Coordinates of all heavy atoms in Angstrom, one line a residue:
Chain A
A188 N 15.8 -27.1 -18.7 CA 14.6 -27.9 -19.0 C 14.8 -28.6 -20.3 O 15.7 -28.3 -21.1 CB 13.4 -27.0 -18.9
K189 N 13.9 -29.6 -20.6 CA 14.0 -30.2 -21.9 C 12.6 -30.5 -22.5 O 11.6 -30.5 -21.7 CB 14.8 -31.5 -21.8 CG 14.0 -32.6 -21.0 CD 14.9 -33.9 -21.0 CE 14.1 -34.9 -20.1 NZ 14.9 -36.1 -19.9
V190 N 12.5 -30.5 -23.8 CA 11.3 -30.9 -24.4 C 11.2 -32.4 -24.4 O 12.1 -33.1 -24.8 CB 11.3 -30.4 -25.9 CG1 9.9 -30.7 -26.6 CG2 11.5 -28.9 -25.9
S191 N 10.1 -32.9 -23.8 CA 9.9 -34.3 -23.5 C 10.0 -35.2 -24.8 O 10.6 -36.2 -24.8 CB 8.6 -34.5 -22.8 OG 8.5 -35.9 -22.5
S192 N 9.4 -34.7 -25.9 CA 9.3 -35.6 -27.0 C 10.6 -35.7 -27.8 O 10.9 -36.7 -28.4 CB 8.2 -35.1 -28.0 OG 8.5 -33.7 -28.3
T193 N 11.4 -34.6 -27.8 CA 12.6 -34.5 -28.6 C 13.9 -34.6 -27.8 O 15.0 -34.7 -28.4 CB 12.6 -33.2 -29.5 OG1 12.7 -32.1 -28.5 CG2 11.4 -33.1 -30.4
E194 N 13.7 -34.5 -26.5 CA 14.9 -34.5 -25.6 C 15.8 -33.3 -25.8 O 17.0 -33.3 -25.4 CB 15.7 -35.8 -25.7 CG 15.0 -37.0 -25.4 CD 14.9 -37.3 -23.9 OE1 15.9 -37.1 -23.2 OE2 13.8 -37.6 -23.4
D195 N 15.3 -32.2 -26.5 CA 16.1 -31.0 -26.7 C 16.2 -30.2 -25.4 O 15.2 -30.0 -24.8 CB 15.5 -30.1 -27.8 CG 15.7 -30.7 -29.1 OD1 16.7 -31.4 -29.4 OD2 14.8 -30.5 -30.0
I196 N 17.4 -29.8 -25.0 CA 17.6 -29.1 -23.7 C 17.7 -27.6 -24.0 O 18.3 -27.2 -25.0 CB 18.8 -29.7 -23.0 CG1 18.5 -31.1 -22.6 CG2 19.2 -28.8 -21.8 CD1 19.7 -31.9 -22.1
G197 N 17.1 -26.9 -23.1 CA 17.2 -25.4 -23.2 C 17.1 -24.8 -21.8 O 17.2 -25.5 -20.8
L198 N 17.0 -23.5 -21.8 CA 17.0 -22.7 -20.5 C 15.6 -22.1 -20.3 O 15.1 -21.4 -21.1 CB 18.1 -21.6 -20.6 CG 18.6 -21.1 -19.2 CD1 19.3 -22.3 -18.5 CD2 19.7 -20.1 -19.5
L199 N 15.1 -22.5 -19.1 CA 13.7 -22.0 -18.8 C 13.8 -20.7 -18.0 O 14.4 -20.6 -17.0 CB 13.0 -23.1 -17.9 CG 11.6 -22.8 -17.6 CD1 10.7 -23.0 -18.7 CD2 11.2 -23.7 -16.4
T200 N 13.0 -19.7 -18.5 CA 12.9 -18.4 -17.8 C 11.5 -17.9 -17.9 O 10.7 -18.4 -18.7 CB 13.8 -17.3 -18.4 OG1 13.6 -17.2 -19.8 CG2 15.3 -17.5 -18.1
G201 N 11.1 -16.9 -17.1 CA 9.8 -16.4 -17.1 C 9.7 -15.2 -18.1 O 10.8 -14.8 -18.7
I202 N 8.5 -14.7 -18.3 CA 8.4 -13.6 -19.2 C 7.7 -12.5 -18.4 O 6.6 -12.7 -17.9 CB 7.5 -14.0 -20.5 CG1 8.1 -15.1 -21.2 CG2 7.3 -12.8 -21.4 CD1 7.2 -15.7 -22.3
K203 N 8.3 -11.3 -18.4 CA 7.7 -10.2 -17.6 C 6.4 -9.7 -18.3 O 6.5 -9.4 -19.4 CB 8.7 -9.1 -17.5 CG 8.3 -8.0 -16.5 CD 8.6 -8.4 -15.1 CE 7.7 -7.6 -14.2 NZ 7.6 -8.2 -12.9
S204 N 5.4 -9.7 -17.5 CA 4.1 -9.2 -18.1 C 3.2 -8.7 -17.0 O 3.2 -9.2 -15.9 CB 3.4 -10.4 -18.8 OG 2.1 -10.0 -19.1
I205 N 2.5 -7.6 -17.3 CA 1.6 -7.0 -16.3 C 0.4 -7.9 -16.2 O -0.3 -7.9 -15.2 CB 1.3 -5.6 -16.7 CG1 0.5 -4.9 -15.6 CG2 0.5 -5.5 -18.0 CD1 1.2 -4.6 -14.4
N206 N 0.0 -8.6 -17.3 CA -1.1 -9.4 -17.3 C -0.8 -10.6 -16.4 O 0.2 -11.2 -16.5 CB -1.4 -9.9 -18.7 CG -2.7 -10.6 -18.9 OD1 -3.1 -11.3 -18.0 ND2 -3.4 -10.2 -19.9
K207 N -1.8 -10.9 -15.5 CA -1.5 -12.0 -14.6 C -1.5 -13.4 -15.2 O -1.0 -14.3 -14.6 CB -2.6 -12.0 -13.4 CG -2.6 -10.6 -12.7 CD -1.5 -10.4 -11.7 CE -1.6 -9.1 -11.0 NZ -0.5 -8.8 -10.1
D208 N -1.9 -13.6 -16.4 CA -1.8 -14.9 -17.1 C -0.4 -15.0 -17.7 O -0.1 -14.9 -18.9 CB -2.8 -15.0 -18.2 CG -4.2 -15.2 -17.7 OD1 -4.3 -15.8 -16.6 OD2 -5.2 -14.7 -18.3
K209 N 0.5 -15.2 -16.7 CA 1.9 -15.1 -17.2 C 2.4 -16.5 -17.8 O 1.8 -17.5 -17.5 CB 2.8 -14.8 -16.0 CG 2.7 -13.4 -15.5 CD 3.5 -13.1 -14.3 CE 3.4 -11.7 -13.9 NZ 4.1 -11.4 -12.6
Q210 N 3.4 -16.4 -18.7 CA 3.9 -17.5 -19.3 C 5.4 -17.6 -19.0 O 6.0 -16.7 -18.4 CB 3.7 -17.4 -20.8 CG 2.3 -17.7 -21.3 CD 2.2 -18.1 -22.8 OE1 3.1 -17.6 -23.5 NE2 1.3 -18.8 -23.2
C211 N 6.0 -18.7 -19.5 CA 7.4 -18.8 -19.4 C 7.9 -19.3 -20.8 O 7.1 -19.6 -21.6 CB 7.9 -19.7 -18.3 SG 7.1 -21.3 -18.2
K212 N 9.2 -19.3 -20.9 CA 9.8 -19.8 -22.2 C 11.0 -20.6 -22.0 O 11.7 -20.5 -21.0 CB 10.1 -18.5 -23.1 CG 11.2 -17.7 -22.5 CD 11.5 -16.5 -23.4 CE 12.6 -15.6 -22.7 NZ 12.9 -14.4 -23.5
I213 N 11.2 -21.5 -23.0 CA 12.5 -22.3 -23.0 C 13.3 -21.8 -24.2 O 12.8 -21.9 -25.3 CB 12.2 -23.8 -23.0 CG1 13.5 -24.6 -23.0 CG2 11.3 -24.2 -24.1 CD1 13.3 -26.1 -22.7
S214 N 14.4 -21.2 -23.9 CA 15.2 -20.7 -25.0 C 16.4 -21.6 -25.2 O 16.7 -22.6 -24.6 CB 15.7 -19.3 -24.6 OG 16.3 -19.2 -23.4
M215 N 17.2 -21.2 -26.2 CA 18.4 -21.9 -26.7 C 18.2 -23.3 -27.1 O 19.0 -24.2 -27.0 CB 19.4 -21.9 -25.5 CG 20.0 -20.6 -25.2 SD 21.2 -20.7 -23.9 CE 21.6 -19.0 -23.6
L216 N 17.0 -23.5 -27.7 CA 16.7 -24.8 -28.3 C 17.4 -24.9 -29.7 O 17.6 -23.9 -30.3 CB 15.2 -25.0 -28.6 CG 14.3 -25.2 -27.3 CD1 12.9 -25.2 -27.7 CD2 14.7 -26.4 -26.6
P217 N 17.9 -26.1 -30.1 CA 18.6 -26.2 -31.4 C 17.7 -25.6 -32.5 O 16.5 -25.7 -32.5 CB 18.8 -27.7 -31.6 CG 18.6 -28.2 -30.2 CD 17.8 -27.3 -29.4
Y218 N 18.4 -25.1 -33.5 CA 17.6 -24.5 -34.6 C 16.8 -25.5 -35.4 O 15.7 -25.2 -35.9 CB 18.6 -23.8 -35.6 CG 17.9 -22.9 -36.6 CD1 17.4 -21.6 -36.2 CD2 17.6 -23.3 -37.9 CE1 16.8 -20.8 -37.0 CE2 17.0 -22.4 -38.8 CZ 16.6 -21.2 -38.3 OH 15.9 -20.4 -39.2
D219 N 17.3 -26.7 -35.5 CA 16.6 -27.8 -36.2 C 15.7 -28.7 -35.3 O 15.4 -29.8 -35.6 CB 17.6 -28.7 -36.9 CG 18.6 -29.3 -36.0 OD1 18.7 -28.8 -34.8 OD2 19.4 -30.2 -36.4
T220 N 15.3 -28.1 -34.2 CA 14.5 -28.9 -33.2 C 13.2 -29.3 -33.8 O 12.6 -28.6 -34.6 CB 14.3 -28.0 -31.9 OG1 13.5 -28.8 -31.0 CG2 13.5 -26.8 -32.2
K221 N 12.8 -30.5 -33.4 CA 11.5 -31.1 -33.9 C 10.3 -30.7 -33.0 O 9.2 -31.2 -33.2 CB 11.6 -32.6 -34.1 CG 12.7 -33.0 -35.1 CD 12.2 -33.1 -36.5 CE 13.1 -33.8 -37.5 NZ 14.5 -33.2 -37.5

Side-chain angles (χ1 to χ4, degrees):
Chain A
K189 69 179 177 188
V190 180
S191 180
S192 58
T193 62
E194 297 282 318
D195 288 329
I196 290 170
L198 204 57
L199 184 75
T200 52
I202 303 168
K203 188 78 202 165
S204 165
I205 188 67
N206 194 317
K207 301 284 178 181
D208 287 327
K209 289 177 178 175
Q210 282 200 332
C211 48
K212 63 180 180 183
I213 177 168
S214 51
M215 293 181 182
L216 290 174
Y218 193 77
D219 58 348
T220 180
K221 299 273 189 303

